[in-house]
Structure formats: structure tokens, C-alpha cells
Amino acid sequence: MSKKITKICCIGAGYVGGPTMAVIAQKCPDVKVTVVDINEKRIAAWNDEDLGKLPVYEPGLDKVVEEARGRNLFFSTEVDKAIDEAEMIFISVNTPTKTYGKGKGMAADLKFIELCARQIARVAKDDKIVVEKSTLPVRTAQALKSILHNTGSSPAGKEGGVQFDILSNPEFLAEGTAVEDLHAPDRVLIGGDNPEAIQALVDVYAHWVPAANILTTNVWSSELSKLTANAFLAQRVSSINALSELCEKTGADVNEVARAIGTDSRIGPKFLKASVGFGGSCFQKDILNLVYIAKSYGLHEVADYWEQVILMNDHQKRRFADNIVTTLYNTVSGKKIAFLGWAFKKDTNDTRESAAIHVADYLLNEQAEIVVYDPKVTEEQIYADLDYLNTRDEKENRKLVTVVNDPYKATDEAHAIAVLTEWDEFRAYDWQRIYDLMLKPSFVFDGRAVLDREKLKNFGFEIYIIGVGSCG
Ligand SMILES: NC(=O)c1ccc[n+]([C@@H]2O[C@H](COP(=O)([O-])OP(=O)(O)OC[C@H]3O[C@@H](n4cnc5c(N)ncnc54)[C@H](O)[C@@H]3O)[C@@H](O)[C@H]2O)c1
Ligand SMILES: O=c1ccn([C@@H]2O[C@H](COP(=O)(O)OP(=O)(O)O[C@H]3O[C@H](CO)[C@@H](O)[C@H](O)[C@H]3O)[C@@H](O)[C@H]2O)c(=O)[nH]1
């Protein structure tokens, strides 16, 4: 018989912790779910009466939070209290790429994970199931076990010591479709070595996920499967992007090629959309981590194979920006370029590793003036993204980049438009009006292949579409 879980705590109220726990609380009204974070502003936003102010924008999330918050879903900064109360603790903190020391630029930085483990060990007075929800390098559970079992007020080895079971339960949700993905996951993956602990977590998900979709494995397979899934997905994007360049040279259309190969049931149609490059907080970080792990085992060919996915992505962002400069008569100095979109994909306000940031940086180095419009990303975030690169000082970024809340303002007197995110609304704009507002010739560089080429050409635009080409 597995233990029935009645109280869950989740450390980390970010893009994963917030939506994941909101859905667990929605589907398991008999379980009290407390999501804790050290970021007071974030917790305050999760508790905001105005559901439009939740810190994570995801379609449908407001409804889920409205249903469960205050009933059995709580957001709090009282981390110790929530750990103490809970039988099951999810760790859903950030695991960014290391920016210092050994493994800099490649390995995952596990300092936040370790801090959580030490805090759990210090606070726990009774047995706990600790669940790795963050994406972690394979064999992290070993490190967690060692910290949990050797520190704290009643170490596990000692008489009366607290027992910790560690499970790996990676999250596969994609941003923009988080609620949909959580409601009907392709699979839930649970890795562990104690069948009772595994069953306790299976029982939580079984409230709404069919048994056939809940996979259980050993803990190492589970940890490695998460990195592998992201590597495979990103590889598909880099593969189609590599071919997008060949399409542009040969007169083929990458969208037609994608359709033609995607109808082969062995290949499948998903993740074959050519773009200005993949972004998001996960793909690059997780592949770099995989490369680092392979290298650390001396598997250099394996490491090189996966690293190529990142190199191709960097190339795609660079060549998109470079094409803008070349087309605008080899200089964008003092020219106004309107950016439509800043988020790394549509239907999210997340900008981490967005291709837009890198394209902007390239063009700013060429002294372009950029005006950004994104339906969900704030001005504060856009400047923070550029400042983080440290390419130029903050004053310069604010001088060269303007953020507006109206697409027509962004395109007014622009030399060119660059489409960096595939927001649906871009298609529905009054493109005749935009054409009239812009300087002539009016260039459009569509990095997401969302616009209607023939329609825009008829208005008079000079148009380039990724994987299709044109524009001189
Ligand atoms: N974003 C995604 O779509 C996604 C999907 C699947 C998996 N993941 C993985 O999930 C993990 C979390 O990602 P995220 O996007 O939610 O990150 P995030 O940065 O949005 O959220 C992490 C939160 O953890 C908090 N935190 C850090 N240390 C803490 C501590 N000691 N105590 C309390 N709170 C602490 C931070 O303040 C932050 O709010 C990462 O490992 C990521 O790779 C992310
Ligand atoms: O055909 C495609 C598909 C995606 N992308 C781009 O790839 C990036 C990532 O997209 P997506 O995977 O949809 O979003 P994420 O939220 O980053 O989700 C990925 O990363 C998460 C974090 O690990 C995983 O949980 C998800 O399963 C995995 O899809 C975005 O910039 C997309 O625009 C393309 O360019 N072409």
C-alpha cells in the first residue's frame, strides 16, 4: 500500500512550478498544494486578485488558478513552513547554464537545487518524498540523496532519522500550451527506486492521467530521458532550419518540403517549422548540458554530434540578421527596423533565449534603430534582455531601442519589418496601412513564415520569407 498524499509543497513558483501545481490542485481537490518561492514579487503576483496579473501568461491558466486558489492551492514565501507540512516536496527551481568556474557555459548550475536540498534536510522532521521536477543532469538524484541523508537535524543514517525518497518526474510541458499539455500529457514520467514512493506519485497523477500514460522507470533513465527529449526536438528544428538555407538557394520552399516529408508517418509533421532559430529557456541549456555530460565521460563524438544542433541554431539567427543588413544596401546605420514579436514563441510572455534578442544585438552592432512591438512582453523585460548581453551600456540600449504598444506605431516610417515571433495577430493586420506608413522600398523579413507572401507583394512590399527567400 502506498502512502496517500494529502499535502504537497513545490519549491519554485516559475513557469513550471506555477502552472504544474495549479493543475495538480485543480485535479486533486483532496490534496493541499502550496507553492513557495523566495521571490516575493512573484508570489504577490500569483496571489493578485486580478488574474490578468499572474506572473506567467499561459492561455487558460487564469481559469485553473481561479478554480483552485484559496481552496487547496496556495502561494507563499514561507518556505520552511510548507516543507515542514508536506509529505511530498517538488523541487522546481531554475537550473540555468553555469556562468562561472568548471563547466562554465555548458554544465547546468545546480546551486539552487543544492540549496533546496539543504533546506529540506534542515527543516524536515518526518519522512518526505522529494521529487525532482526541474530538469537535471543524469545522476543528480545521487547528489540530492547524499545531501539529504547526511545533513539536517536528524540525518537518515541515525536512529530516529528522517527517511527521504527521491523521485525524478521531469516536466514536458511547452510554454504557450502549458495548461493543455498538463491536462492531457502524452506521458508522465516517474523514475525512482522505491515502489511505494513511485506509487504515491502515480496516485496523484492518476486523478486525471490515464494509467497507460504514466511511465515508470529507474531514476537515471528518467533524468536522461528529459535531456534526450529536448535534444531530439531541437535537432528537428535545426535540421529543417539547415534545409531552409538550401531551399532559399535552390528555389525550393521549405514549407512544402516539410509537408512532403512530414506526411511520412515515420517522420511525422510536428516540429518541422523553419524559423529564425529556436529559443526558450530549455533547448540550448539542456543540449549544452548533454554535451557537457558526454564530454565528462570522454564521449567526444557524442558531444560533437549534439553540439552541432546549437551551432546550426546560432548560424540561423546570424544569417537572418545578416540578410537584413545585406538587403538594406549593406548598411542599417540610422535605419529604423520594426520588430514584430520579441517572445521566443507565440502565446507566452517568456523571452529567455529568444532569437529576437540575438538578431537585435547583431543589428544594434550595425547601428540600427529598433522599434519593438510584442503583444505580451514588457518594455522592462526587453531592456533587461539586451542589458544582460553586456554588448553595450544600458544608456545606449535605451537610445537605440524603443518599445511601443501599437504595431502601426512600430512600423511608421520604418525601413524594414522583421517578424521574430509567430503571433497570430500579425496576419490580421491592415498591411495596406502598414505599407503606406513605411519608407519605400518597404522591406519585410519574415523569420517565422507567417505572412501571406503574394498578398504582401501585391501591396508593394519587398518580402523575404525564411526558407523561401527573395528580397533581392
Ligand atoms: N520553462 C519551461 O517550459 C520548462 C519546462 C520543463 C522543464 N523546465 C525546467 O523546470 C525548471 C524550472 O524552470 P522554470 O522555467 O519554471 O524556471 P523559473 O526561473 O521560471 O522559476 C524558478 C523559480 O524558482 C525560484 N527559486 C530558486 N531558488 C529557490 C529557493 N532556494 N527557494 C525557493 N524558490 C527558489 C526562483 O525564484 C524562481 O521563481 C528548470 O530546471 C527548467 O529546465 C522548464
Ligand atoms: O517546428 C518548430 C517548433 C519549435 N520551434 C521553436 O523552438 C523553440 C521551442 O519551442 P517549444 O518546444 O514549442 O517550446 P518550449 O516551451 O521551449 O518547450 C520545450 O522545452 C520544454 C522545457 O524543457 C519542454 O518541456 C517541452 O517539451 C519542449 O517542447 C521556440 O523558439 C519555437 O519557436 C521552431 O522554430 N520550429
Side-chain angles (χ1 to χ4, degrees), residues 135 171-176 226 230 233 237 240-241 270-283 286 344-345 422 448:
T135 301
E171 184 48 58
F172 296 101
L173 69 80
E175 288 179 27
K226 174 63 197 176
N230 275 351
L233 290 169
V237 179
I240 201 72
N241 281 346
K270 292 184 183 166
F271 265 73
L272 289 178
K273 183 95 183 106
S275 67
V276 54
F278 62 72
S281 62
C282 296
F283 279 1
D286 292 349
F344 80 96
K345 62 187 277 197
E422 71 280 25
R448 295 290 186 165

Side-chain angles (χ1 to χ4, degrees), residues 183-462:
H183 278 162
D186 285 347
R187 80 312 208 175
V188 164
L189 180 59
I190 301 172
D193 52 19
N194 177 349
E196 269 187 39
I198 293 174
Q199 192 57 44
L201 185 53
V202 168
D203 291 344
V204 171
Y205 284 108
H207 280 77
W208 79 100
V209 180
N213 294 21
I214 304 179
L215 314 183
T216 57
T217 64
N218 79 34
V219 72
W220 319 126
S221 305
S222 172
E223 287 179 336
L224 189 56
S225 297
K226 174 63 197 176
L227 296 183
T228 308
N230 275 351
F232 268 62
L233 290 169
Q235 183 199 44
R236 276 176 75 99
V237 179
S238 274
S239 296
I240 201 72
N241 281 346
L243 288 156
S244 72
E245 193 171 8
L246 190 58
C247 285
E248 289 170 25
K249 297 283 179 221
T250 55
D253 176 334
V254 76
N255 302 300
E256 291 179 353
V257 173
R259 187 153 54 94
I261 64 164
T263 45
D264 183 325
S265 60
R266 294 168 301 174
I267 296 175
K270 292 184 183 166
F271 265 73
L272 289 178
K273 183 95 183 106
S275 67
V276 54
F278 62 72
S281 62
C282 296
F283 279 1
Q284 174 162 310
K285 159 177 88 72
D286 292 349
I287 295 177
L288 287 172
N289 189 4
L290 190 66
V291 169
Y292 181 76
I293 294 167
K295 279 190 181 158
S296 68
Y297 284 102
L299 309 178
H300 298 291
E301 289 78 6
V302 178
D304 291 349
Y305 177 78
W306 288 108
E307 193 166 21
Q308 198 57 38
V309 174
I310 305 280
L311 297 180
M312 180 48 65
N313 198 50
D314 290 341
H315 170 68
Q316 189 77 347
K317 291 181 271 189
R318 212 171 32 245
R319 85 174 180 90
F320 181 79
D322 187 59
N323 180 40
I324 296 178
V325 178
T326 311
T327 308
L328 296 186
Y329 318 110
N330 277 325
T331 177
V332 288
S333 178
K335 292 183 181 167
K336 177 175 166 181
I337 317 282
F339 270 38
L340 293 184
W342 190 265
F344 80 96
K345 62 187 277 197
K346 72 172 181 177
D347 291 340
T348 177
N349 61 346
D350 196 347
T351 64
R352 289 176 288 181
E353 290 302 331
S354 178
I357 303 169
H358 301 279
V359 173
D361 193 49
Y362 186 103
L363 295 175
L364 292 173
N365 283 343
E366 295 284 334
Q367 302 176 350
E369 287 172 20
I370 295 178
V371 183
V372 186
Y373 166 75
D374 185 288
K376 287 287 172 204
V377 181
T378 62
E379 174 174 336
E380 188 189 357
Q381 185 60 52
I382 291 169
Y383 288 134
D385 290 337
L386 289 168
D387 293 344
Y388 184 75
L389 295 180
N390 234 342
T391 315
R392 63 197 72 71
D393 65 34
E394 297 184 5
K395 236 170 88 192
E396 191 72 359
N397 280 332
R398 279 147 195 79
K399 199 177 110 200
L400 293 172
V401 180
T402 315
V403 181
V404 296
N405 55 13
D406 175 351
Y408 300 99
K409 226 185 202 168
T411 50
D412 190 15
E413 301 215 329
H415 289 78
I417 293 174
V419 178
L420 277 311
T421 313
E422 71 280 25
W423 287 102
D424 291 335
E425 65 172 59
F426 296 166
R427 280 196 198 91
Y429 288 168
D430 180 349
W431 282 95
Q432 177 68 64
R433 182 176 163 203
I434 291 177
Y435 180 74
D436 294 342
L437 286 170
M438 285 178 68
L439 298 184
K440 306 292 173 308
S442 310
F443 293 98
V444 174
F445 298 88
D446 181 357
R448 295 290 186 165
V450 286
L451 300 177
D452 183 333
R453 179 197 180 83
E454 288 314 309
K455 194 171 124 191
L456 263 69
K457 264 175 84 175
N458 287 339
F459 288 136
F461 284 102
E462 299 280 330

Side-chain angles (χ1 to χ4, degrees), residues 11 14-16 37 42 93 95 134-135 171 175 285 352:
I11 309 179
Y15 282 88
V16 170
D37 205 295
R42 221 169 202 186
V93 298
T95 50
S134 296
T135 301
E171 184 48 58
E175 288 179 27
K285 159 177 88 72
R352 289 176 288 181

